[in-house]
Amino acid sequence: MGAGVAHEINNPLAIIAEKAGLLKDILSADQSQPDWNKFLKHVDAILYSVERCSKITRQLLGFAKRIDVQRRPVDLKALITEVIGFLAREAEYRSITIPVTALSDIPTIESDPGQLQQVFLNIITNALEAVDVGGRIAIALEANMSGRVAVTVSDNGPGIPADVLPHIFEPFFSTRKEHGTGLGLSITYGIVEKLGGQLDVRSELGRGTSFTVTLPILMP
């Protein structure tokens, strides 16, 4: 089912990418048009977003087949700061603060930056949806002696009921009813495992939720 959904999404994405690419060629060939540079930036933004969506569908296909990991050096704090930048407008609009703190010296790790970006985008987006206006999301990074780095994303939202907590990483399980697909956390869990890491959650009703992503400094 997941593979079928991914293929169906990829078809319109391919059309959008083709048409946006054609627009870019036209704009690039005629720079006399008013505001051509501004329109070119908009087209590039469309192409970038299509590529991001394509990566998500490829991750969904990972339920059916293996997706190769692209290993590179990753500065985790810089990557997380970049992810927060994607969500900065919504956070600012709702007066939500998202401080990032390194509790120890954080080494550069070996991992897949694109897939890690998706992991933290999913987790921080969930936290934003959980907190009210004026809420707080705190992100803490810490290296340990066993050659791993832990990133904890904590929110002061309503928390997750104890009977729901064991199911949140199950495919198609959602607490948001018609507004959720139930795929975000299950895909996130699968990506973290594939990168040699571990994803844990702690939550208490009325006191918020914390997700901890523990990653190896060097991938196995």
Side-chain angles (χ1 to χ4, degrees):
M1 182 177 178
V5 170
H7 283 302
E8 288 300 316
I9 293 173
N10 275 337
N11 290 335
L13 284 177
I15 294 171
I16 294 169
E18 179 186 359
K19 302 303 181 186
L22 177 60
L23 282 173
K24 183 173 182 177
D25 290 342
I26 293 171
L27 287 167
S28 299
D30 184 7
Q31 299 182 12
S32 64
Q33 295 294 327
D35 296 326
W36 76 270
N37 193 41
K38 180 170 125 181
F39 286 118
L40 196 60
K41 287 181 180 178
H42 288 319
V43 172
D44 283 336
I46 292 170
L47 289 169
Y48 173 76
S49 296
V50 167
E51 177 57 25
R52 278 190 57 206
C53 289
S54 296
K55 285 182 180 179
I56 294 170
T57 58
R58 289 197 294 271
Q59 288 160 6
L60 184 57
L61 282 167
F63 282 115
K65 62 182 180 180
R66 179 180 176 82
I67 301 172
D68 291 336
V69 172
Q70 304 296 320
R71 301 185 184 203
R72 296 179 190 171
V74 178
D75 180 333
L76 266 179
K77 188 173 181 181
L79 182 141
I80 291 167
T81 300
E82 183 179 8
V83 170
I84 293 171
F86 298 153
L87 305 168
R89 181 170 295 181
E90 180 183 353
E92 183 179 359
Y93 177 74
R94 295 175 57 207
S95 300
I96 296 169
T97 58
I98 313 179
V100 180
T101 305
L103 303 178
S104 60
D105 290 334
I106 307 300
T108 297
I109 70 169
E110 175 191 88
S111 196
D112 186 318
Q115 296 197 44
L116 281 180
Q117 189 179 77
Q118 188 60 49
V119 164
F120 292 112
L121 186 62
N122 286 349
I123 293 173
I124 298 170
T125 297
N126 279 355
L128 277 171
E129 291 175 350
V131 300
D132 293 327
V133 171
R136 189 173 189 273
I137 300 167
I139 301 176
L141 297 86
E142 186 171 17
N144 59 37
M145 299 299 292
S146 60
R148 299 172 79 81
V149 176
V151 181
T152 300
V153 181
S154 303
D155 67 63
N156 64 348
I160 302 170
D163 61 325
V164 171
L165 205 56
H167 304 287
I168 63 171
F169 297 125
E170 295 175 4
F172 304 107
F173 180 86
S174 175
T175 59
R176 301 203 300 271
K177 307 201 181 290
E178 71 273 9
H179 299 295
T181 64
L183 286 172
L185 283 177
S186 59
I187 291 175
T188 300
Y189 189 92
I191 295 172
V192 173
E193 278 202 329
K194 184 169 58 179
L195 297 177
Q198 182 177 335
L199 177 58
D200 299 293
V201 59
R202 292 183 294 105
S203 188
E204 186 177 342
L205 282 178
R207 302 194 67 176
T209 301
S210 294
F211 284 92
T212 299
V213 180
T214 306
L215 298 162
I217 293 174
L218 296 176
M219 286 187 61

